Every structure is written in structure tokens, then in C-alpha cells.
Amino acid sequence: MIHNELKDFPENFLWGASTSAYQVEGAWNEDGKGLSVMDVGNHPDDVTDFKVCSDHYHHYKEDIALMAEMGFKTYRFSIAWTRIIPEGTGDVNQKGIDFYNNLIDELLKHDIEPLVTMYHFDLPLALQKKGGWENRGTVDAFVNYAEVLFNEYGDRVKYWLTINEQNMMILHGNALGLLEGDPENVKKGLYQSNHHMLVAQSKVFDLCHQKVEDGKIGPAPNISTVYPASSKPEDILAANNYSAIRNWLYLDAAIFGRYNATAWSFMEEKGITPEIKEGDMEILKSGNPDFIAFNYYTSASVEGDFENQDKASNFNGDQQVVDNEAGLYRRYQNEYLEKTEFGWEIDPVGFRTTLREIYSRYNLPLIVTENGLGAYDKLEEEDTVNDDYRIKYLRKHIKQAQLAISDGVELFGFCPWSAIDLVSTHQGINKRYGFIYVNRDEFDLKDMRRIRKKSFYWYKDVIKSNGKKL
Ligand code: BGP
């Protein structure tokens, strides 16, 4: 649709940016923090671990001052479960509570709305040792943890996100290094874990409404539109299959409180349906989110060459995202899209389509909690970082967001990844995403000083003009 006149970004639009605890904080074993699965994960030899990261734990005041200088209306960060309840269940760690109290107060001092992810990949190791999410007990552990958070911070935090990218944890379970055993059982375990997460999430939606006055809560999956490789009917079917098991399985359960039929039949076909306890489906129905948060980096394309299952895929993007399913879909390289230095396809128009698809399916307000470009930034003379490629990427996506708003989508915030440089989930600190450069390398911590990138000044103008000056 071509609009003669575009709608403006709404007043009070939540411009901001995101981080997650295990990628930005560092201080991995300080002040009583317990170990999480991310602290003990395997790292390729050439990239750093998550022990120090950007040392945000000790620099948060300085970092928040820089966010305020950019004009942030919100900051999306995650709370490390292991700072609050080091063993996942049991004793609460007062020093962990204090840290986030200070961080939240610091944000409010600068009129920045806290947007809190309760769990961003960093499950307490103690829970993982007891079977992780496959163990039904983790549902209670999560609800208990959520209750502590609502009691401690609910007077000041009004926007909550339950689980970051649950769908990616299930689709790429191996990528987080949590899984052992033979692949078929691994899959069954993953879909059982998925069911437990859905139940836990639904209970926490409910609890938030009981405990937090004016509290709003939503899920935070990674959602993207799925293109068929061609107009061949089998390719269209493959796109439909992939969208069901990548996107709608998660959102249908969170919003409609039911399993998506195509996704369920896929699980039946593979013999990996989860055990559903009596009362679970009622729980899924009873907890309702107020909005949908989602992460978007790129679209996905698939083909459905069901007769030639063994044919190699032409897909040569980030290998971590290959999740072909025999008989359902095979990932496909979209020849119309440019790629980042790290091989991720760039698709701003797909962003608009994704926004429209989610909104027309669920009719809930939307907020984007991740979108951005990872690159090898270069620190140049006089402390400058000329990240024009990042500006170009974000500009195009923000333009598409405005088009989606003009299409009628109710979008109330945009939080790119990431507020400040941090350690990538698999590719170290030198895959940078931030508006603020952190002066360290993979293994040389240097002086960790904060440096405003070119995109910092650009984003400041975007926010100041409420998206008019791109
Ligand atoms: C998302 C995660 C983030 C972050 C981001 C960028 O999937 O929610 O935690 O890691 O992707 O990915 P990467 O770090 O692999 O470049």
C-alpha cells in the first residue's frame, strides 16, 4: 500500500534500546550471584566469555546517563535470575535485589521507563542440573521468582516481559549448549520444555495483574515473516509450515491459550508431543498478555521440495539459524536481500509485513524489543566510530515501522539491539551492535571507556523529532 500521507509516531512513543544481563553486566560471580547456564557455556577459542562483558554492573550510572543524553524514553534490560535467587529456588540474595533497585531508581531519575525481561536465556545452573525446563518443577521456580520481582519492583516497573525468544531456545536448543543426548530425544525434551515455559508464562501473566497495579506484561519471541522461495504451491505450503512452528505456535499459546493446529500435528508426526497435565490448558487460557513484544532482525525464506529431501539447501547464512525439518520446509537464501558482514539477511520491508501479520492476527499493541545490525566497528582517530551502516539499517527499519503504523498497526515502542556494545551470544564482543562503543577487545579489557558512536548522535535526533528526522 502506498500512503499519500504517513501517520506520525504516536505521542509518548517508547523510543529506547535493549540489552540483556548476561551479555552486558559482567560481575559474573560478585555480590552473591549464582551461576547461570550462560556462565558455564562453551565458547569458541577466539571469542570472549560472559565474565566481564561491558562491566555494566559497575558502570550502570554512567551508561544510563548516556542513554538519557540520547533521550531514551525506555530501557529494556533483563534481570539475572541468579542475582535474585542464586540457586533458582530458595534464598533471595539481598545484594542482587539492591542492584536492580538502584538501576531502576537511576532510570526513573532520568525519566526513563524500565522495561524488564524476567528471563533472557540465563537459567540458573542449579535448575539446569535438575533437568532445566524439562523438569516441571522449573514452572514453580519461575513463578516464585516472578513473584519476588513483582513484590520488589512492581511499585516502579510497569512494563514486564516474561521470556526472551522462547521460540529460538526451542528451535535452536543446541545453540545455547544446554542439550545432550541423541537428537530425537533432545527434540522431545525441547517441546516438553516449551510446554512448561508456556504454562509458567501464563501463570506469570496472571500474577502480574494481581500483584502490580497498572502492570502490563507480554511475551517476547523472535517473530519474522516467512517467504516461500517461489509461487510453487509446495513452497507456499512450506512457508505456512515454518511460520506455524516458528511463530504462531508461541504466540497462539500466549494469546489464544491454545496450541496451533499445524504445529501440533508436526509434533504428533515426529512423536514429540509434550505431556499435558490436567488443568494445563485452562492455565494457558486464563493468563492473558496486555501487549506483544517481539524481536526482529530479518525475514526467513523456505522451499518445500518434498520429493528431494536430501538436496542441499542453498542457504548459507548464519549456520546457527539452520533448522530444516524434513517434510516441512528447507531454509532458502533469498536472492533479493543484502546481507550483513555476519551473513544475516537485511529485510526492512519484511519488518513492515511482520508487524502487520502479528497485529492482524492478535490485535494487541506491539513493541519491538530487538532490531539491529552486528558489525566490526572501528575506533578511529579522536574517538570516533563511523557506523553509517548501522544508521542505514535502523533508518530503513524505522521508516517501515512508520509505514506499518500508517497501515493501522498499533506500535507503541521501538528498542533496537543494543543500547551499548555487549558480548554477542555466540560471536564475542567484536560483533558490535551498540550506539555506545565500549573500549575493549575479545581478550584485552583495555580501559572499558564509553565512546559515543555516530549512530548515537543520529538516534538522539530521531528521538528528539519523534521519528521525523531520520
Ligand atoms: C537475539 C538475542 C540477543 C542477541 C541478539 C543478537 O536472538 O535475544 O540476546 O544475542 O539475538 O544475536 P547475536 O548476539 O548472535 O549476534
Side-chain angles (χ1 to χ4, degrees):
M1 200 184 325
I2 294 176
H3 296 281
N4 288 325
E5 217 173 301
L6 291 185
K7 288 189 187 144
D8 288 337
F9 284 91
E11 249 180 82
N12 304 321
F13 189 75
L14 291 178
W15 296 101
S18 297
T19 62
S20 87
Y22 78 89
Q23 294 175 278
V24 77
E25 286 177 3
W28 68 294
N29 60 356
E30 282 184 42
D31 292 340
K33 181 182 168 297
L35 290 179
S36 86
V37 295
M38 302 312 291
D39 293 319
V40 299
N42 291 330
H43 294 272
D45 287 347
D46 56 344
V47 303
T48 182
D49 54 28
F50 298 113
K51 293 192 162 88
V52 180
C53 297
S54 312
D55 201 25
H56 181 61
Y57 191 79
H58 297 111
H59 290 252
Y60 72 92
K61 285 195 180 174
E62 179 187 352
D63 294 343
I64 290 171
L66 286 164
M67 294 177 204
E69 189 184 322
M70 268 188 277
F72 279 22
K73 310 289 180 207
T74 190
Y75 170 45
R76 181 227 177 188
F77 61 97
S78 81
I79 291 185
W81 188 338
T82 50
R83 285 199 197 284
I84 305 293
I85 306 176
E87 299 296 306
T89 54
D91 292 345
V92 170
N93 174 35
Q94 190 54 44
K95 286 197 170 154
I97 300 277
D98 295 346
F99 171 67
Y100 294 107
N101 261 327
N102 294 338
L103 190 142
I104 290 163
D105 289 345
E106 193 68 19
L107 288 171
L108 294 174
K109 196 171 102 189
H110 290 283
D111 286 328
I112 300 175
E113 183 80 49
L115 171 58
V116 171
T117 317
M118 307 169 93
Y119 160 49
H120 193 126
F121 300 161
D122 50 355
L123 189 73
L125 183 63
L127 293 181
Q128 183 61 30
K129 284 189 173 153
K130 289 186 238 165
W133 279 103
E134 233 180 297
N135 178 348
R136 177 92 191 185
T138 301
V139 173
D140 297 333
F142 185 64
V143 176
N144 171 59
Y145 162 58
E147 187 160 7
V148 174
L149 298 186
F150 295 148
N151 286 339
E152 296 291 340
Y153 309 124
D155 58 334
R156 287 154 294 151
V157 175
K158 301 298 168 187
Y159 288 93
W160 296 89
L161 308 168
T162 49
I163 302 177
N164 179 69
E165 295 198 352
Q166 180 178 331
N167 57 337
M168 293 298 120
M169 287 195 271
I170 303 305
L171 286 167
H172 313 297
N174 287 322
L176 289 178
L178 306 179
L179 307 168
E180 291 149 19
D182 88 86
E184 279 319 301
N185 284 336
V186 161
K187 252 198 183 140
K188 189 159 174 57
L190 281 170
Y191 282 89
Q192 187 63 56
S193 299
N194 181 49
H195 179 69
H196 290 154
M197 286 189 213
L198 293 174
V199 170
Q201 166 169 269
S202 205
K203 287 185 164 199
V204 169
F205 287 159
D206 240 356
L207 193 66
C208 176
H209 296 135
Q210 288 164 30
K211 293 255 161 197
V212 183
E213 207 184 320
D214 301 326
K216 292 189 193 316
I217 188 159
N222 177 310
I223 302 295
S224 66
T225 196
V226 181
Y227 301 125
S230 75
S231 54
K232 197 168 127 197
E234 285 77 6
D235 288 345
I236 311 271
L237 191 63
N240 190 285
N241 286 336
Y242 189 45
S243 212
I245 72 168
R246 183 199 191 286
N247 298 319
W248 313 137
L249 163 58
Y250 302 88
L251 286 178
D252 285 2
I255 289 103
F256 300 144
R258 62 166 159 72
Y259 270 96
N260 175 281
T262 309
W264 187 262
S265 81
F266 149 73
M267 289 186 269
E268 278 184 334
E269 181 59 34
K270 304 272 169 184
I272 54 173
T273 48
E275 185 198 345
I276 296 184
K277 284 232 157 73
E278 214 188 309
D280 280 1
M281 296 316 290
E282 286 70 30
I283 295 172
L284 289 193
K285 272 254 178 295
S286 74
N288 295 304
D290 304 284
F291 61 85
I292 297 171
F294 75 103
N295 302 344
Y296 174 92
Y297 288 87
T298 184
S299 55
S301 304
V302 295
E303 56 184 344
D305 197 352
F306 303 124
E307 304 302 315
N308 290 300
Q309 294 290 352
D310 298 332
K311 197 181 90 180
S313 161
N314 79 337
F315 190 73
N316 59 7
D318 184 334
Q319 290 313 298
Q320 272 135 18
V321 301
V322 177
D323 56 359
N324 298 335
E325 266 310 334
L328 276 97
Y329 60 86
R330 183 165 46 218
R331 294 298 299 276
Y332 182 82
Q333 195 75 52
N334 189 327
E335 62 269 39
Y336 296 102
L337 302 177
E338 283 176 48
K339 287 197 258 170
T340 71
E341 279 182 297
F342 286 86
W344 291 26
E345 290 169 339
I346 302 176
D347 186 6
V349 176
F351 183 40
R352 177 183 180 185
T353 311
T354 304
L355 283 155
R356 285 165 60 152
E357 274 187 86
I358 304 174
Y359 189 68
S360 61
R361 201 175 164 97
Y362 302 106
N363 243 278
L364 282 175
L366 306 182
I367 181 164
V368 177
T369 38
E370 288 182 32
N371 171 246
L373 174 110
Y376 293 108
D377 291 346
K378 204 163 135 242
L379 184 59
E380 294 179 43
E381 271 166 38
E382 294 177 18
D383 270 2
T384 52
V385 179
N386 291 303
D387 56 344
D388 296 278
Y389 35 86
R390 181 165 297 110
I391 295 173
K392 190 172 156 203
Y393 176 100
L394 289 171
R395 178 186 288 133
K396 285 186 177 175
H397 284 79
I398 294 173
K399 272 191 183 155
Q400 293 297 324
Q402 192 182 3
L403 285 164
I405 289 172
S406 305
D407 295 334
V409 172
E410 202 182 331
L411 181 69
F412 69 98
F414 181 72
C415 296
W417 187 263
S418 50
I420 180 168
D421 284 348
L422 41 68
V423 180
S424 146
T425 298
H426 304 103
Q427 289 162 301
I429 184 86
N430 283 329
K431 184 185 194 188
R432 295 175 187 266
Y433 283 90
F435 294 110
I436 301 162
Y437 187 90
V438 176
N439 191 37
R440 62 160 286 187
D441 279 341
E442 288 308 336
F443 301 105
D444 180 355
L445 295 177
K446 300 189 177 170
D447 59 8
M448 295 285 232
R449 82 182 181 283
R450 278 42 179 162
I451 295 159
R452 296 165 184 79
K453 299 185 193 176
K454 192 169 178 182
S455 57
F456 177 103
Y457 300 104
W458 170 80
Y459 196 44
K460 183 178 174 181
D461 279 348
V462 172
I463 297 177
K464 198 164 167 213
S465 64
N466 198 26
K468 286 202 173 73
K469 199 172 156 204
L470 287 178

